[in-house]
Amino acid sequence: MIARLIRWSASNLVLILIATVLATATGLYAVTKVPLDAIPDLSDTQVIIYTEYTGQAPQVIEDQVTYPLSTSMLSVPRSKVVRGFSFFGASFVYVIFEDGTDIYWARSRVLEYLSAATRTLPQGVVPTLGPDATGVGWVYQYAVMAQKRNLAELRTTQDWQIRFAVAKAEGVAEVASVGGFVKQYSVIVDPQRLRAFNIPLSTVRQAIRDSNMDVGGRVVELAETEFMVRGRGYLKGIADIEEIVLKAEGGTPVLVKNVARVELTPDERRGVTELNGDGEVVSGIAVQRYGQNALSVIGSIKERLADIKGSLPDGTEIVPVYDRSDLIHRAIATLKTTLLEESVIVALVCIVFLLHVRSALVAIITLPLGILMAYTCMWALGISSNIMSLGGIAIAIGAMIDAAIVMIENAHKHLERAPEGTPRSEILIEAATEVGPSLFFSLLIITVSFLPIFALEAQEGLLFRPLAWTKTFAMAAAALLSITVVPALMIIFVRGRIVPEHRNPINRVLILLYRPIIRWVLKAKVVTIVVALLVLGASVWPAMKLGSEFMPTLNEGTIMYMPTTLPGLSI
């Protein structure tokens, strides 16, 4: 059957060329659509439940929030691990799901169980889901700076202007604000005055809460016109809070300002943000949504920041602090350079050993075509383009053109030995069918050699599966091309004067070196096997001394210093 397919491909050049053009166009389209990142995402499918319980100690958080939520999440379908962490005033519960679970299916299941678990929590405590992001979702960070504005004003600009603009960028799951001071109104109560007026602290709290609202009064019809009635009660400043009535005695009201002092103060801080050691700044962190293209997300963030640049207060500027697109471009550029170098070397080897440029074009053309077909498969299966996936293509390049080279060399041999008058196409088809089936199955054997990698699980599988997929795609494409496109290209390009192998000076030198060695090896078979075993045994000791590492060190050129201090440190 393989031989018949080779004959059909060599006899129907137009159909093969049309299919080749379509495959090339599809591959080029896939190259533009495949998500691009520097490293594969090794994060598990997880959903984070965040609960804030202000002012409570970690033990109280553990008993009243973390433990009830963790136990209720144990029965979530397809969940494999539930981890709970209790901190001062906050609880985190991580629900980790089995490999392959859709992130949004997992989030919907957690929400279902969370609705029932919320009834067991203290009154007023409301858990929320974390962003639909992963551990490598931190793709962009910026600092908000101004010479004539303080940290509180910069934080206000970040929270109420810049953050919303960045959150609207395509693919952004969350924008976190760090650094600076968050403004808040503080009511500093005088206990002596409260006792003198016989006012409990709860009355002050409730009065401020009740006074900060608008109320509706339906409508009033006057002169056949309806007028909406509403009571305006939102607090707009310190003066409004000071004028809130707490109680009245003998027609004389007791106001907040009579028992307390109202100030505009910063909220408590759990950390600081510095830039280059020059002092504190306000910063924003953009987190990428799960499964998005990192480069597209970063580009969208930059567009949104450029759009709002003119609306910022005078003298305010946004300075990029961390931009993963630099790392992505550097990492991918290195691999692209490697792929280009390998392609050029392959082309030069073909030309040097065949001494026929047009014959070398057969192998040169099939190489990028096989890579584009691999990209098409990556796009279809949603595999991102990163160091590991492109590394699989780099590994496969050397073996991808083996079939083309062997088939071309066999065609040259047949042309050398063919009788005068034999049609050239028949000679080429005969040469292709002679070795084509064997080459096809040899490439398939190489293709399935990486199948055991698909059995890896957890982080190992997430790391190495992209490499195995792309190598499998590239080798499968090479096997298909070897029995379809290669015979057709041979009919087109293998023509003209063919230099015999014995007249190629490089081949002659290599044959002279090779033949004495192979004769000696075949005569001294036992000695050869013993030497090979000794070399193998000698390599065991160095192999045992080699270090091991799950991932190689990635020098991305961006250093972020994030020290963690002991509790209680003053900032």
Side-chain angles (χ1 to χ4, degrees), residues 212-434:
N212 189 32
M213 65 175 65
D214 277 7
V215 294
R218 302 186 68 174
V219 295
V220 174
E221 184 178 348
L222 296 174
E224 301 182 354
T225 303
E226 288 186 343
F227 294 91
M228 290 181 293
V229 178
R230 67 187 180 104
R232 304 177 62 183
Y234 283 131
L235 302 175
K236 298 182 179 180
I238 294 177
D240 292 342
I241 300 176
E242 290 177 338
E243 296 298 324
I244 294 176
V245 178
L246 300 178
K247 63 181 293 188
E249 290 186 352
T252 302
V254 179
L255 308 179
V256 169
K257 65 181 179 182
N258 299 134
V259 297
R261 184 174 73 255
V262 182
E263 298 178 351
L264 189 63
T265 61
D267 193 6
E268 290 183 352
R269 299 199 296 171
R270 288 285 180 266
V272 297
T273 304
E274 281 200 343
L275 181 61
N276 297 330
D278 296 331
E280 291 190 46
V281 296
V282 175
S283 179
I285 302 169
V287 181
Q288 169 189 310
R289 184 171 288 116
Y290 179 87
Q292 295 293 315
N293 188 334
L295 275 181
S296 300
V297 173
I298 295 172
S300 180
I301 293 171
K302 292 178 179 179
E303 290 178 2
R304 298 296 300 172
L305 291 176
D307 291 340
I308 66 169
K309 185 177 180 180
S311 63
L312 297 177
D314 292 339
T316 304
E317 60 177 342
I318 301 174
V319 180
V321 175
Y322 174 72
D323 185 352
R324 193 191 291 176
S325 61
D326 296 335
L327 168 63
I328 295 172
H329 287 305
R330 287 199 304 269
I332 301 305
T334 301
L335 278 174
K336 285 182 178 178
T337 303
T338 302
L339 292 175
L340 180 61
E341 291 173 350
E342 289 184 348
S343 301
V344 171
I345 291 172
V346 167
L348 291 176
V349 168
C350 293
I351 294 172
V352 169
F353 283 93
L354 296 176
L355 287 183
H356 194 263
V357 176
R358 283 183 293 187
S359 295
L361 287 176
V362 177
I364 295 171
I365 291 174
T366 56
L367 184 58
L369 182 58
I371 294 175
L372 290 176
M373 293 174 68
Y375 258 98
T376 302
C377 297
M378 291 169 60
W379 172 54
L381 294 182
I383 299 174
S384 65
S385 178
N386 51 60
I387 291 176
M388 297 303 294
S389 58
L390 292 183
I393 296 178
I395 293 173
I397 279 182
M400 285 176 65
I401 62 166
D402 283 352
I405 294 176
V406 172
M407 201 172 285
I408 294 168
E409 187 176 6
N410 192 52
H412 282 208
K413 289 290 186 181
H414 277 253
L415 289 174
E416 292 176 23
R417 301 166 183 170
E420 291 290 338
T422 306
R424 182 182 59 87
S425 59
E426 282 298 322
I427 299 172
L428 295 177
I429 293 174
E430 183 65 27
T433 55
E434 181 181 356

